[in-house]
Structure formats: structure tokens, C-alpha cells
Amino acid sequence: MTEKSGGVLVFTTIRKRDGRLVDFNEKKITDAIFKAAKAVGGEDRQTAMELTLEVLKYLKGKYNGNVFGVEDVQDAVEKVLIESGHARTAKAYIIYRDRRNRVRDGKSDLMEAVRQILVETSRENANVSNSPSAKMLQIASAASKTYYLSRLIPEEFSLAHRRGDIHIHDLDFYAKTLTCVQIPLGQLLKDGFDNGHGYIRPPKRPGTAAALAAIILQSSQNDMHGGQSFAFFDRDVAPYVDEASEEEVYQAMEALIFNLNSMHSRAGAQVPFSSLNVGTETSEGARKVVRNLLLAYEKGLGRGENPIFPNIIFRLKEGINLNPGDPNRDLFELAMRVAARRMNPTFSFMDASFNKQFGTEVSYMGCRTRVMANRRGPEVTEKRGNLSFTSINLPRLGMQAKGNVDNFYRLLDHILDLVARQLYHRYQVQANLKVRDMPFLMGQHLYLDSEELGPYDRIEEAIKHGTLSIGFIGLAEALTALTGKHHGESQEAQELGVEIVAHMRKQIDQFCEDYDLNYTLLATPAEGLSGRFVSHDKEEYGLISGITDKEYYTNSFHIPVSFDISMFHKLSLEGPYHKFCNAGHISYVELASPPLHNVEAVEAIIRHMAASDMGYAGINFPIDFCLGCSHIGVINEDECPVCGSGAIRRVRRITGYFSTVDRFNDSKLAELRDRKAHM
């Protein structure tokens, strides 16, 4: 609205974005123009006042006394600045306006996210419950994401994430901590540790050692957002079992498993993402640890339920356990028997072409992480981890290329460079954290060179040993976009797929040189991400057969789960990709039921995995448990065939860890429905 004052038309009212009518204040226009001018070196407020008058004249002519809104005024400011020859000021104003819009939109998105979380926690992470503490954690997570995207992360990277070109994993922890670590359990047990309330002295018996191992995993998880792993669990616990009986060691390992499935971290929101690497230590103490760990895991939880954690990773190596006559062959046979019942352990291959040079040093973690190469220090597994990772939307690049492979590589190189720069930005933010920000991880010297740092020191001297991983998802859909077929359907597509992943690794190796940091290539574990990219791409490109016509993109380099293919052919096709993905990789075969009475078949599968030059792999099958009568098996109906109960606990592997199906997000549920057993 307007009114006359001394014959001059004066605006009295303006409509806010929420529809409210408030008093009009032309000084706000002058202030905004002057701020934009100062951003490009201007100092003349008089000019800003004169430009304000031009804006008011324009508004008078366009709206003729009618009420206009805030956005209308901002449009008028941009127009007047440009037409008056103040292009640099106009650009600064547009950038400022966009930044304010991002903040405002972020607040709106945050409020909606909080509303949804208060009803039920997000199922982005299948290890998070629906408890009150989990809701509080996720509200904090939503606020952190909003802040980082609108205030901290440069616009180029923020925009790429928001529109689905890339995915910045664990965005809510962007400036808070690191992803994961291979914990030096032996050091902590030998020297003792302090997790915040006093010194914990070294153990003397296996039960205490196992209890402290669980506490260490929990304490480290509270300082980090990713997986926690013991690189040499058998070696590190062996000194505490030498004088113990088999029964005492068994009780200790059973207690450890119980603890890791019930002891929560992160303010009570989830149990630790725990992994134990075992299998290649040949001392009797280490063998005793592995034997009883596997037996306790085989027995299951209190009523026979399948444990969710820890993820047991059994190392395989010729001359140690792989062949008859090897000193730990009996442990390998036991591991296969347990895997045939429980899906765990998974298996890592020390004789793979890319692991062999390290002997038995290579350890994996949970969903697939592998940390070895280190240009800033020793090439070891322990006391190192992944700092952060960001994934690329390969199917989108395939669709944008429109069948032209040269265009695809051009687009790929551009996005690889963008992600490398984004990860470097995050590294610089992480490097400015202090030891006191991660009191257990850094304060108790779980990271290389952290023992040289004081509480108020920056952590860069420690995290320079970590890795920055560039991940990818949807190779199958990208190949379909480029060739019309995925790599399970066409040898030509397979050759192109290997070429693409090899190209990515070559570019990433160059980033190591450019930044003098440990950049690596990751076969992304897509849980929360599984449906996010395809949701964006459906809006942009519509439904495209074989690409956007599902609720998820296929994980990393995997053959699509719905494709009919023999298990041995699948392994042969996926094997060549492992050597390029030096940050982590995993392959699976899907069985229709547990191979309880066919351990020979399990060994044949594992040997073919080894022959396919894989680094890490597992065997999947359904595990259903009746909460009414404790019947375990494959329960295809809604009710237990023994007691008729409808309370069925269904355990499946998701990305690399186990979870119950009720915690799967919608995209992962769709993928689970599509999974076909391999013959």
C-alpha cells in the first residue's frame, strides 16, 4: 500500500514471504545495496541511496499502489543495478540474495525434517533404532546438515550435492570428526587407557580383555561416525588366554558378542559398527581366541538369534589356512561351517594381486573399507582409517553423455576433479580440529603420530596418514545408458566398465600427487544413498528402462541383483574391479537358503572368489527367526510354520553389515525384493 506525504508517494506496507503484511522500510534496500557495493570495493553510501530512489520509482510504476512482496523488491534491485551500469554490485547482490535463500530454505527443510523424525527416525542407517535418544541424534544431524550446506561448504560443492551430482557421505559430521579407524587393541590392552573417568589398567584374564575390547570399540565409536575395527584381534587378545581353559575363553568371546549386540554408543542411538579381523596368527593363544570366537558366534545370542555384530573377517592365505595341511586349516573349516549357518564370517584374501605384497598385514572393515597405501608414512593397516568419502552419480553421467563415451569421460573427469577439491576442503576443516575434540581417538593415541600431540594441538599431523575416498555407484546403470546393456549382459559393456573404473583409479592416483594426500577409490556401500540419486534422476530424466525404472541404483560395480546369472560367472565378472578400488571393495553371492549341510560348496565358492582376484567377499542367504518359539530357518510366509507366530525377525546383509529387515529403508527394501539367488 502507498500514501501521499507532502505530495510524494510513500510505500507503507510490504508482504513477507510467509504472507504477513509489515511496515515498509526503504532503509533496508539502501543497506542491502551498500553491502553489495562494499563487497566489490565500493564505499559511497550516497550512491546506494540514489539507487534506492530508482528502485522505489520502478516499484511505483509497476505496482501502481498495490501491495508487493519481498521477492518483488529484490527483483527490482537487481534490475536497477544492472540497468544503471553497476554490474559488479549486481553480481554481489545476487550472490548475497542466493546465500540468504539457501539459509532460509535450509531452515524450512530443517523444520520439516524435524517433524518427520519426531514421528519416526530416518531409516538412512539400518543400525539406528527408533528410540528417543535416536530421535534427538537425528534432529541434531538434520540441523548440522543444514548448517554445513548453507554456511560452511562452498557453493560449488553444496550445489553439486543438493542436485544429486555427488553425495557427501556423513554430511552431518562434516566438520566434527573422521570416518573410521583400525584400532591398536594390543597397545591399549598392554598399556591401559583412559576413556574419560579414570585409568583402566591392563587385563590379566580373557574375560576382562574381552570386556575392555568392547568398551574400546564403544569409546572410539563415540568419537567417530563410521566403523570401528580390530586389525589383529586374534594376535592382540592371545597374551591373555595362554593360561586359560577353553571354557573360560569361550565365555569371554560369548560375552564380547553379547556386549557388541547390546552396548550402545552415540548417546544410546546405536551399537558400534564393529569388525574383527582374524585367521592368520598361528600361536596357540591366537588359535584359541579364533576357535572360541567362531563357536560362540555359531551358537548365536541367548535364544539362538543371529548376532548382528561383530562383523568377523577371516583372512585367508596359502601356507597358513587355505589348504589341507596348513597350520590353521582347521580354523578355516570352522569358519566355513559358521558362515554356512550365520552368514558370518566374511573372507578376505591375502594372496590377491594387490594384497600379496603386504603379507598378512591387510585388514578390512565391515562394509568394505581397506586402508593400506600411505605416501605420508608407513604402509600399515593399524592406527589409520578413512577420513571421509564422497560418491559420484555414474548413471547421471551416462545419461548426460547420450551414448558418447568421449563425452562421458569428459564429464567424469570434471566431477572427479570437483570431488577431489571438495574432499580437500573437508580435510582442511578436519585438520583444524584439536586433540581434545576427539579425546579417546586422539587423546589415547589410536591414530598414527597422535602420541606426539597435546590436547590443544591440531590433528593434521595424525590425519595426514588417513585416506580421502572418492566413491561411485551405479556402474551397471551407467553402462546401460552408454551401451544399452550392463556388464552382466554384454562382454563389450564389461570391458568398458573395467576401463571406466581403471580410468577413475588413474585420475585418483594423480590426485595423490597433486595434493600429497592419500586419495583412494571406493566401491561405495550405498545404504542411505541407494535411492537418493535415482530419485533426483527420475525427476530430471523420467523413467528410463534399465536405469531409472527402479527405486535404487546398483551398488558400485556389482551386477544388478535382479539379473539371472550363475554365482561363478558373477564372481568372475566382478573380480577385476577389486584391484582398482583400493579404498575398499566387496562382492557377494546370494543363496536361497543356508548351505548348512554343504560346506564343500561353500569352499568351492570361496576358492572361486580367490581365483577371481577378489580382496573381500561373502555369502548371503535369508536368516529368519521366530520370536515365539525360536525356530530358525527360511520362513517365506508371514507366520512361523512351527508355532504360527507372526513375530518373525528377518536378518539380511545390507551394504556389508547385517540388519533386520524392518530397519531397511524403502530403497533397500525394493532391492531386497529384487534379489535373485545365484545358482
Side-chain angles (χ1 to χ4, degrees):
M1 294 178 63
T2 60
E3 62 182 33
K4 296 277 184 129
S5 177
V8 178
L9 195 65
V10 178
F11 298 108
T12 60
T13 308
I14 187 171
R15 182 184 296 107
K16 299 283 282 185
R17 289 179 178 85
D18 60 8
R20 289 180 297 123
L21 295 178
V22 299
D23 291 342
F24 181 84
N25 183 356
E26 66 184 62
K27 181 176 179 295
K28 291 185 177 181
I29 300 176
T30 305
D31 290 343
I33 294 173
F34 187 54
K35 284 181 182 179
K38 287 184 69 175
V40 294
E43 292 291 341
D44 186 358
R45 187 172 181 87
Q46 180 62 36
T47 300
M49 295 172 65
E50 292 170 359
L51 289 168
T52 300
L53 291 176
E54 294 301 316
V55 171
L56 296 177
K57 290 178 183 178
Y58 173 79
L59 291 170
K60 175 188 174 183
K62 183 170 183 179
Y63 294 100
N64 194 28
N66 295 316
V67 175
F68 47 79
V70 171
E71 293 284 351
D72 301 318
V73 173
Q74 292 180 341
D75 289 343
V77 171
E78 288 183 18
K79 179 179 177 63
V80 168
L81 286 173
I82 293 169
E83 292 181 353
S84 301
H86 296 276
R88 293 176 63 225
T89 301
K91 183 177 180 181
Y93 179 82
I94 290 167
I95 292 172
Y96 169 77
R97 180 183 182 185
D98 179 67
R99 188 179 298 119
R100 296 277 300 183
N101 285 340
R102 285 172 58 196
V103 172
R104 185 167 47 254
D105 292 345
K107 289 178 180 177
S108 176
D109 292 344
L110 173 60
M111 291 302 101
E112 175 59 21
V114 169
R115 186 193 67 78
Q116 293 179 12
I117 291 166
L118 289 172
V119 176
E120 181 180 10
T121 53
S122 165
R123 287 176 291 157
E124 182 176 330
N125 181 340
N127 192 30
V128 174
S129 68
N130 193 43
S131 66
S133 59
K135 287 185 170 69
M136 287 298 292
L137 181 75
Q138 288 202 341
I139 290 170
S141 170
S144 294
K145 290 178 180 178
T146 300
Y147 172 78
Y148 292 140
L149 285 174
S150 62
R151 303 289 184 91
L152 178 70
I153 300 172
E155 171 68 8
E156 179 185 17
F157 309 143
S158 173
L159 180 60
H161 173 87
R162 286 184 283 125
R163 68 189 178 199
D165 293 333
I166 66 173
H167 181 80
I168 301 172
H169 292 266
D170 302 294
L171 175 62
D172 45 342
F173 286 93
Y174 195 96
K176 295 188 185 81
T177 185
L178 318 175
T179 300
C180 59
V181 67
Q182 290 281 4
I183 298 171
L185 177 62
Q187 167 193 309
L188 294 168
L189 293 180
K190 178 177 177 292
D191 299 337
F193 59 91
D194 185 341
N195 71 341
H197 295 285
Y199 174 73
I200 307 299
R201 63 176 174 267
K204 295 181 179 179
R205 305 299 300 176
T208 309
L212 293 184
I215 291 169
I216 288 166
L217 286 167
Q218 182 188 43
S219 299
S220 187
Q221 180 81 89
N222 278 326
D223 273 6
M224 308 188 79
H225 61 73
Q228 307 299 311
S229 178
F230 295 139
F232 305 100
F233 180 75
D234 42 2
R235 180 199 70 188
D236 293 346
V237 178
Y240 309 98
V241 308
D242 284 339
E243 304 300 323
S245 67
E246 290 284 335
E247 177 61 23
E248 186 179 0
V249 178
Y250 177 86
Q251 290 294 329
M253 295 302 106
E254 183 178 60
L256 174 68
I257 292 169
F258 285 1
N259 277 334
L260 293 180
N261 285 275
S262 58
M263 184 172 67
H264 287 72
S265 62
R266 290 202 203 165
Q270 63 182 47
V271 295
F273 285 97
S274 54
S275 297
L276 313 179
N277 289 266
V278 299
T280 52
E281 297 293 322
T282 57
S283 72
E284 187 45 46
R287 285 171 45 76
K288 190 185 292 186
V289 169
V290 177
R291 183 164 56 247
N292 287 285
L293 174 68
L294 291 171
L295 288 171
Y297 197 94
E298 182 180 39
K299 188 175 181 180
L301 300 181
R303 298 170 60 197
E305 302 98 320
N306 209 84
I308 301 299
F309 290 103
N311 201 40
I312 302 174
I313 303 166
F314 193 91
R315 286 188 179 91
L316 288 170
K317 186 163 181 63
E318 291 188 34
I320 296 181
N321 52 30
L322 185 62
N323 299 314
D326 288 348
N328 281 1
R329 170 68 189 190
D330 59 326
L331 296 181
F332 177 33
E333 292 176 353
L334 177 58
M336 289 188 289
R337 188 183 86 192
V338 177
R341 177 178 295 275
R342 298 293 186 184
M343 268 199 293
N344 248 339
T346 46
F347 297 90
S348 61
F349 301 92
M350 299 298 100
D351 294 313
S353 63
F354 45 89
N355 286 337
K356 196 175 182 67
Q357 62 178 307
F358 301 109
T360 58
E361 173 69 20
V362 179
S363 296
Y364 286 82
M365 191 182 307
C367 56
R368 68 204 62 201
T369 302
R370 172 186 181 274
V371 177
M372 280 305 301
N374 185 9
R375 64 186 297 109
R376 303 293 293 274
E379 290 188 318
V380 296
T381 284
E382 206 168 52
K383 302 186 75 171
R384 300 175 62 213
N386 185 248
L387 305 178
S388 54
F389 67 107
T390 297
S391 291
I392 291 170
N393 185 345
L394 281 186
R396 174 173 290 186
L397 300 182
M399 289 183 285
Q400 289 175 342
K402 298 180 179 179
N404 187 311
V405 174
D406 290 338
N407 282 345
F408 175 83
Y409 279 119
R410 178 179 54 79
L411 293 166
L412 178 60
D413 286 349
H414 171 76
I415 208 74
L416 284 168
D417 177 73
L418 181 143
V419 173
R421 289 185 288 112
Q422 178 268 310
L423 285 171
Y424 184 64
H425 173 265
R426 190 170 186 174
Y427 173 82
Q428 291 174 305
V429 172
Q430 292 169 327
N432 279 319
L433 292 167
K434 307 294 193 295
V435 168
R436 67 192 297 270
D437 294 322
M438 285 164 274
F440 190 76
L441 178 68
M442 294 295 169
Q444 296 303 299
H445 315 316
L446 274 63
Y447 232 89
L448 277 178
D449 289 345
S450 59
E451 63 274 9
E452 306 297 327
L453 304 176
Y456 293 92
D457 288 338
R458 296 169 67 251
I459 64 172
E460 183 168 15
E461 280 304 300
I463 70 169
K464 68 184 182 184
H465 299 292
T467 55
L468 299 165
S469 295
I470 299 178
F472 65 95
I473 183 175
L475 178 66
E477 288 80 11
L479 291 170
T480 300
L482 290 170
T483 71
K485 296 181 179 180
H486 60 69
H487 50 319
E489 299 172 304
S490 159
Q491 181 59 32
E492 175 193 3
Q494 167 71 351
E495 291 172 1
L496 179 58
V498 172
E499 180 185 289
I500 289 169
V501 176
H503 177 87
M504 287 195 285
R505 172 62 184 278
K506 181 180 178 182
Q507 297 297 99
I508 288 168
D509 286 348
Q510 183 58 49
F511 296 146
C512 295
E513 299 293 328
D514 296 342
Y515 294 89
D516 195 26
L517 291 170
N518 298 311
Y519 281 85
T520 49
L521 179 62
L522 178 72
T524 294
E527 185 180 342
L529 175 57
S530 62
R532 179 174 177 264
F533 277 165
V534 74
S535 177
H536 279 286
D537 289 348
K538 280 180 182 177
E539 291 183 11
E540 182 75 17
Y541 301 101
L543 290 177
I544 302 175
S545 178
I547 305 175
T548 61
D549 57 348
K550 307 185 300 296
E551 295 179 50
Y552 58 90
Y553 280 147
T554 303
N555 258 7
S556 61
F557 53 71
H558 289 178
I559 303 295
V561 298
S562 61
F563 184 63
D564 284 313
I565 189 172
S566 75
M567 66 179 72
F568 292 108
H569 188 37
K570 178 181 188 290
L571 294 173
S572 296
L573 289 174
E574 292 183 4
Y577 296 96
H578 282 230
K579 62 178 174 288
F580 299 116
C581 300
N582 57 337
H585 42 248
I586 196 166
S587 287
Y588 308 109
V589 296
E590 296 283 339
L591 305 182
S593 60
L596 292 172
H597 307 295
N598 198 355
V599 176
E600 295 81 5
V602 172
E603 182 166 4
I605 294 169
I606 292 170
R607 286 187 172 277
H608 193 75
M609 291 169 172
S612 300
D613 202 28
M614 290 186 165
Y616 184 32
I619 298 172
N620 293 348
F621 45 80
I623 299 178
D624 300 326
F625 182 84
C626 174
L627 298 175
C629 69
S630 300
H631 170 69
I632 189 168
V634 179
I635 303 175
N636 291 320
E637 304 301 325
D638 293 334
E639 296 181 350
C640 172
V642 176
C643 71
S645 171
I648 310 298
R649 181 177 186 259
R650 302 183 187 275
V651 173
R652 303 293 186 270
R653 196 185 306 274
I654 182 168
T655 67
Y657 294 102
F658 292 165
S659 181
T660 51
V661 170
D662 60 297
R663 293 191 178 186
F664 279 33
N665 62 47
D666 291 342
S667 298
K668 276 298 177 185
L669 284 172
E671 184 215 89
L672 181 62
R673 290 192 295 268
D674 287 348
R675 291 183 190 177
K676 288 188 177 179
H678 303 123
M679 304 301 293

